[in-house]
Amino acid sequence: MNAVGLIAFAFLVYALGYIFYSRFLSEKVFRLDDRRKTPAHELEDGVDYVPTNKWILLGHHFTSITGAGPIVGPAIAVIWGWVPALLWVVLGAVFIGAVHDLGALVASIRHKGKSIGTILGEYAGERARVLFLLLILALAILVNAVFAYVIALLFIKYPSSVIPAWVIVPLAILFGFSVYRLKINFLVPTVVFLLLLYLSMYVGSLYPVDIGPVSSSLGVGPVMFWIIVLFIYTFFASALPVWLLLQPRDFLNGLQVLVLLVLVYIGALFANPKVAAPSFTLFPEGAPPIFPFLFITIACGALSGFHALVSSGTTSKQLYRESDARTVGYLGFLGESSLAVAVIVACTAGIAMVSSDRFAQLYSSWANINKSAIPAVVEGGANLVSSLGIGTGLSSTLLATLIVLFAATTMDTSVRIQRYILNELGQIYSIKPLKNGWFASLIAVLSSMGLVLAKEGGKGGLLFWPVFGAANQLLAGLALLVTYLYLRRENRPTLYVLVPLILVLIITSLAMFLNLVNNAVKGDYLLAGVSGIILMLEIAIILESVNAIRTEGRRVQA
């Protein structure tokens, strides 16, 4: 099998899924109606609720949901073979992941832009709502702690990415002012600022930034220096109006990723390298069993509960008209899935373009590829892009910057979502300070920093990261549950959500239970305990929901 075959299969399924399945869902299941007023118009406040052009919003949504997930997950998962990884990424995206994102977005806009946790409370009661919000808050803290550490490592490993990663901030602010205050057609600043962003990448490849001397003079290591800088930045970014920084930053980032994806795919089509990975490897050295762990190793790109937080947290508050949900929610997820496919191609075919033994070296064991996933993506992707005549050094800078910017935009959005949740908890329990945006942002940043500092060198988030994959997919199952409850109350077809809901809850509950058992056997009682707590939270939320369904059924019969 050659790279072209993988790409052709993926994009054929994407095209059929978007043209036919997403239209069916939009018209027959969710019944999108542009005559309805979206929360962006109904509650417009110029900070969080901002009516937005669907293409700009697509850029924000795409980069917010993407992060490093569809890069790291598929890069690791191809150790089980390229066939299961590709099938889960492509078919999972069309029939589960994109449905999950679209459903969460629609449920939110039909509930005045409320979060998925708050919506659950309306259907399953206040206890379910609070439990769900606490679960979301815990996962957001974990994401921020780990992504801050990962971005810091990337800045150190790929110093050429530092300049473009920070240049995008003033470019985004200028873009926001140009479009929203000066009322310039967004196409003009788009071209100008995108060119400036790529110029900064070229400058970064010429002048890599070594922060070591500065951090040493301040008495901290390079990793902690970058972590502190990142959290200071996200504190301000999470509380600023969404049109000023978050939205334009994500839009510009989404466009540069689109350009880079095109380069990777054209490079793959031009070089058409042979896939070096085996079709199936059921028992790689040191790896857990392919079932159910493939489905939690690859989250973003096939299905991710974090997306429900973005769809109902920031995106729903900016949707201009209901019909835009199909483009932003469903197509946005397919865009993320196409990135996961590009990673699979880079790691299974691009990686072997220079050396036929390179795949076997990197994927010799589960432990080895877990340490080498990002370098494998950068190396394989750079090989594909360099086949177009672009130097390997610049190609590596482009790939490394892509990963940094994706992780950073996800961190931006995650801290903002933390602020929303803390605001909601402040309203529930009448805690006045938590209702304040800046104070809630400060608590969000400090709680994440507290987890970072729980282990020397900023590795605190890694303490709980082994259970994140299963917890994230359990969150996806619960988000599908909310969509199911909404459709059921509206007397709409539920089968297209119910089937993915059952599959996801069964598979990920099994994975979480196996994590609990494995950690207990190894003597890691901390992770075993966390796994147990998450499982109990899930069971409690499901029981509350089932009880709500029964109560509603009895009321209807009466």
Side-chain angles (χ1 to χ4, degrees), residues 147-169 204 207-212 221-231 233-234 249 374 378 397 399-409 411-412:
F147 274 38
Y149 178 71
V150 169
I151 296 168
L153 289 183
L154 289 170
F155 278 152
I156 295 167
K157 185 173 181 61
Y158 302 103
S160 58
S161 67
V162 173
I163 289 178
W166 291 105
V167 162
I168 196 173
V169 175
Y207 302 102
V209 176
D210 178 12
I211 206 66
V223 171
M224 282 306 302
F225 173 86
W226 281 124
I227 288 175
I228 293 168
V229 170
L230 285 164
F231 275 117
Y233 160 75
T234 53
R249 174 195 168 108
I374 289 178
V378 173
T397 297
L399 267 295
T401 302
L402 176 150
I403 297 171
V404 169
L405 290 179
F406 264 161
T409 51
M411 189 177 167
D412 280 5

Side-chain angles (χ1 to χ4, degrees), residues 7 41 50 73 85 92 101 159 184 211 233 238 244 250 254 315 345 373 376 461 553:
I7 296 169
H41 291 286
V50 179
D101 284 26
I184 299 174
I211 206 66
Y233 160 75
S238 66
L244 182 61
D250 290 353
T315 304
V345 172

Side-chain angles (χ1 to χ4, degrees), residues 232-285:
I232 291 173
Y233 160 75
T234 53
F235 166 72
F236 290 101
S238 66
L240 289 173
V242 70
W243 62 266
L244 182 61
L245 177 56
L246 182 66
Q247 186 192 93
R249 174 195 168 108
D250 290 353
F251 176 65
L252 291 174
N253 189 26
L255 282 178
Q256 70 90 12
V257 171
L258 178 62
V259 172
L260 186 54
L261 270 179
V262 169
L263 290 176
V264 170
Y265 277 119
I266 291 177
L269 295 174
F270 180 77
N272 194 20
K274 187 176 181 179
V275 176
S279 302
F280 294 93
T281 305
L282 297 182
F283 303 103
E285 183 183 337

Side-chain angles (χ1 to χ4, degrees), residues 95-105 303-309 311 333 475-480 483:
F95 294 107
I96 303 180
V99 178
H100 165 275
D101 284 26
L102 177 60
L105 179 56
L303 171 71
S304 172
F306 181 79
H307 294 192
L309 309 188
S311 292
F333 190 93
L475 178 60
L478 295 174
L480 285 167
T483 304

Side-chain angles (χ1 to χ4, degrees), residues 352-368:
M353 288 175 64
V354 175
S355 170
S356 58
D357 297 328
R358 187 60 175 151
F359 179 86
Q361 293 170 0
L362 288 171
Y363 288 84
S364 60
S365 69
W366 179 258
N368 193 54

Side-chain angles (χ1 to χ4, degrees), residues 489-538:
R489 179 170 290 185
E490 294 294 314
N491 199 26
R492 306 276 176 78
T494 59
L495 181 66
Y496 311 96
V497 172
L498 182 61
V499 173
L501 162 63
I502 294 172
L503 289 174
V504 170
L505 286 180
I506 290 174
I507 292 172
T508 54
S509 295
L510 175 61
M512 183 62 79
F513 176 74
L514 291 175
N515 271 336
L516 188 159
V517 173
N518 292 336
N519 287 317
V521 170
K522 290 188 297 185
D524 194 336
Y525 299 115
L526 177 62
L527 281 182
V530 171
S531 299
I533 291 170
I534 293 173
L535 267 178
M536 288 189 289
L537 280 174
E538 177 209 3

